[in-house]
Amino acid sequence: MNIIKQLVPIANGARAAKNSCKAASFCFSRLNHDTSVEVNSEEHEVVIALGSNVGNRLQNFEDALERMKKSGIQITRHGCLYETEPAYVTDQPHFLNSAVRAITKLDPHKLLGTLKEIERDMGRTTGIRYGPRPIDLDILFYGKQIVNTDTLTIPHERIWERPFVMGPLIDLLGRETDNDTIKSWHLLSRYSGGLFEAWEKLGGESLIGKDRMKRVLPIANRLWDWSTKTSIMGILNVTPDSFSDGGKFLSVDSAVSHVRSMLTDGADIIDLAVKNIPDMDGKLISVDTFYSQVALEAVKNGAHVINDVSAGQLDSNMRNVIAALKIPYIAMHMRGDPSTMQNHENLMYDDVCVDVASEMYTRVRDAELSGIPAWRMIIDPGIGFSKNTEHNLDILMGLRDIRSEIGKKSLAVSRAPLLIGPSRKRFLGEICGQPNAAERDIATVASVTAGVLGGANIVRVHNVRANRDAVKLCDAMLQRRGKCS
């Protein structure tokens, strides 16, 4: 993709971009000497890279981001989270890396000073260059400015050789350039294809999932690389009105027995779970709720994930609670509420995959602005919620289209783990002539197979055993495809 061609002719990166700025709708400013500058009245959009390989790396990120916010740096976007092998000095622990977009009125050198102060306050000392550090904060871009002084170079001079910087940086973009500042960052990349081409020159997505660079989601005190296998979420319904198995597991004994059965059958996650079961060691607990108070109590009692079918639409405090809890958040697409979601107006789509992607992105964006970073998000297109049979089929066949549509606005969100929950849904009964939900397991296996081959990372099912082997086969097929491509 030649992202530069329609903006300005460019052959030699930043220098050509500067000389050609009259042809574009913006110009670069250049700072060539150190000056003592006060806070600007004008806001600038910046990109800051984060790295850590000493202590609790994730906590270091969270502490640094909180200190940045208190220092006048408003975080607006988060990249994905990566665990990477160390570069340059290789005899040291693995790093955690990411990047954020932010808005600030601090001038470039004031911003640099603020970030250096945060590093010092968090325990970073002068040591081996490229050696271990609790936190590393680098300015990658500052508005449309090119800075070249004794103490600061912007764009950061080593962006282009570092996959662990370029990967998170690309996450902060959408495939559609959304403003002139982003256009300027592409112009500064040295490539006609902009930052995307720079990333591809390093290897791009082919680097992800290998030992040197893994995209991960923090959960239950570990970093989860969801690309290695499809995860199975077993459903435990403990409400009497569940459409599928309501009333079957109301007693503690029956619920515990069913959880044990699902774990034995291969479940990785239990949705609405029972804790303090020995077999739960190493497994994840998810609670399905759109109430913030329930979410808060659930996490206090051992839940690792909150599964919100409303993506924060039905409880205005949910996003703030999740942000404070610092746990993964499953944001599902639904219109209306469970009592109105199948109303005529909620089933009106121009293109269901495009519309679901747009609405889901908006809700995830709201969550991110509330303090839930993209690296804690799991997205769910909401099969069976505000969808008719045709819509559900289109979504099952269009998961890649949904990711691609989201990617126009945010590559980080498009790369989040994707969950589907077709299990025993009404549309399967309508297609297969099975009015009894419990008789839809074979159709569920077929829909799960289609979903996994289409890009789903997590499948939420009632019958774990029936779906386990299908998921394993799909994973093997996908791995084979990857090796052959």
Side-chain angles (χ1 to χ4, degrees):
M1 177 177 63
N2 192 328
I3 198 166
I4 306 301
K5 188 174 182 180
Q6 296 178 347
L7 303 176
V8 297
I10 181 168
N12 297 305
R15 182 177 300 169
K18 178 177 182 288
N19 293 336
S20 303
C21 68
K22 291 182 180 179
S25 59
F26 54 87
C27 286
F28 297 98
S29 60
R30 184 181 289 274
L31 184 60
N32 292 303
H33 55 85
D34 284 331
T35 55
S36 177
V37 187
E38 297 300 321
V39 173
N40 296 319
S41 59
E42 183 181 355
E43 291 184 333
H44 292 273
E45 187 164 22
V46 302
V47 176
I48 299 169
L50 299 90
S52 174
N53 74 334
V54 173
N56 187 326
R57 299 169 297 172
L58 182 62
Q59 187 62 51
N60 292 341
F61 275 21
E62 292 168 348
D63 290 349
L65 292 175
E66 189 60 36
R67 291 168 189 261
M68 287 162 63
K69 293 173 189 176
K70 292 178 180 178
S71 301
I73 305 167
Q74 179 188 348
I75 310 298
T76 59
R77 289 198 183 199
H78 306 74
C80 298
L81 202 62
Y82 297 86
E83 187 170 44
T84 65
E85 287 186 351
Y88 311 115
V89 178
T90 58
D91 186 20
Q92 58 177 318
H94 279 54
F95 275 83
L96 206 58
N97 291 101
S98 192
V100 296
R101 273 168 65 175
I103 300 295
T104 186
K105 292 184 178 181
L106 299 174
D107 73 73
H109 288 89
K110 192 76 172 178
L111 176 60
L112 175 65
T114 298
L115 297 179
K116 293 301 179 187
E117 183 178 0
I118 292 173
E119 289 179 344
R120 288 192 298 270
D121 289 347
M122 291 183 62
R124 183 171 178 182
T125 59
T126 302
I128 302 171
R129 191 180 188 194
Y130 306 129
R133 69 217 55 190
I135 194 68
D136 187 19
L137 303 172
D138 288 326
I139 305 171
L140 304 184
F141 291 107
Y142 184 97
K144 302 171 191 174
Q145 293 193 25
I146 299 170
V147 180
N148 187 10
T149 70
D150 292 341
T151 58
L152 182 60
T153 300
I154 300 176
H156 192 284
E157 59 188 340
R158 291 191 177 272
I159 292 177
W160 324 111
E161 68 185 47
R162 296 175 171 178
F164 59 86
V165 173
M166 282 298 300
L169 169 59
I170 293 298
D171 292 337
L172 299 174
L173 309 176
R175 290 192 183 90
E176 294 181 349
T177 304
D178 54 1
N179 62 50
D180 283 349
T181 298
I182 309 304
K183 292 176 184 177
S184 73
W185 298 347
H186 283 293
L187 286 168
L188 291 166
S189 71
R190 310 175 184 177
Y191 296 101
S192 62
L195 293 168
F196 299 126
E197 184 178 349
W199 172 230
E200 290 303 318
K201 292 286 186 182
L202 289 174
E205 282 297 295
S206 68
L207 300 175
I208 307 303
K210 299 179 179 172
D211 289 340
R212 292 183 62 85
M213 191 170 184
K214 296 179 180 180
R215 191 176 284 136
V216 294
L217 182 142
I219 186 168
N221 296 317
R222 67 178 190 262
L223 297 174
W224 174 37
D225 176 4
W226 66 89
S227 70
T228 57
K229 64 183 278 298
T230 302
S231 294
I232 299 177
M233 175 185 283
I235 302 169
L236 173 66
N237 288 313
V238 292
T239 55
D241 58 347
S242 168
F243 80 93
S244 172
D245 48 16
K248 288 182 65 176
F249 308 114
L250 294 182
S251 74
V252 173
D253 287 345
S254 63
V256 169
S257 176
H258 188 55
V259 168
R260 284 196 170 118
S261 176
M262 287 193 289
L263 294 172
T264 299
D265 289 342
D268 303 290
I269 310 167
I270 300 297
D271 197 40
L272 212 168
V274 181
K275 66 172 187 172
N276 296 328
I277 300 176
D279 296 340
M280 284 298 299
D281 289 346
K283 304 295 183 179
L284 301 174
I285 299 173
S286 168
V287 170
D288 184 350
T289 183
F290 49 77
Y291 294 113
S292 60
Q293 190 59 40
V294 173
L296 183 62
E297 292 301 321
V299 174
K300 286 181 180 178
N301 286 280
H304 304 113
V305 188
I306 295 299
N307 184 5
D308 181 0
V309 297
S310 79
Q313 298 293 102
L314 299 181
D315 185 332
S316 60
N317 199 37
M318 176 64 94
R319 291 188 289 261
N320 292 330
V321 167
I322 298 297
L325 290 171
K326 295 180 170 57
I327 58 166
Y329 182 51
I330 302 173
M332 195 196 78
H333 176 269
M334 177 180 67
R335 292 173 171 176
D337 59 43
S339 66
T340 65
M341 65 182 185
Q342 297 302 115
N343 288 356
H344 176 73
E345 60 271 20
N346 287 329
L347 296 177
M348 298 298 292
Y349 296 93
D350 292 327
D351 181 312
V352 67
C353 290
V354 171
D355 294 347
V356 165
S358 177
E359 293 169 24
M360 192 156 53
Y361 168 74
T362 298
R363 290 165 196 177
V364 170
R365 187 86 185 96
D366 290 341
E368 187 169 24
L369 291 172
S370 299
I372 307 172
W375 66 61
R376 291 193 189 278
M377 294 286 188
I378 298 170
I379 56 175
D380 179 350
I383 291 173
F385 290 78
S386 312
K387 321 290 190 306
N388 62 27
T389 294
E390 290 74 20
H391 296 148
N392 291 319
L393 292 173
D394 288 346
I395 287 172
L396 268 177
M397 296 184 294
L399 297 178
R400 286 192 175 89
D401 294 334
I402 291 173
R403 281 198 191 272
S404 180
E405 197 66 30
I406 293 174
K408 292 178 180 179
K409 298 180 179 179
S410 170
L411 287 166
V413 177
S414 77
R415 291 164 175 169
L418 191 151
L419 181 151
I420 59 167
S423 185
R424 298 181 179 176
K425 292 284 174 68
R426 180 179 299 174
F427 81 101
L428 299 177
E430 291 177 355
I431 293 170
C432 300
Q434 295 287 0
N436 183 353
E439 299 299 321
R440 300 171 189 164
D441 284 345
I442 294 175
T444 296
V445 171
S447 61
V448 162
T449 298
V452 174
L453 293 178
N457 307 109
I458 308 168
V459 294
R460 185 177 184 269
V461 298
H462 296 84
N463 189 330
V464 172
R465 178 179 294 178
N467 287 277
R468 176 190 60 200
D469 289 347
V471 166
K472 286 183 177 180
L473 179 60
C474 289
D475 284 349
M477 293 166 67
L478 292 170
Q479 289 168 10
R480 181 62 182 163
R481 177 194 292 171
K483 289 179 181 178
C484 293
S485 61

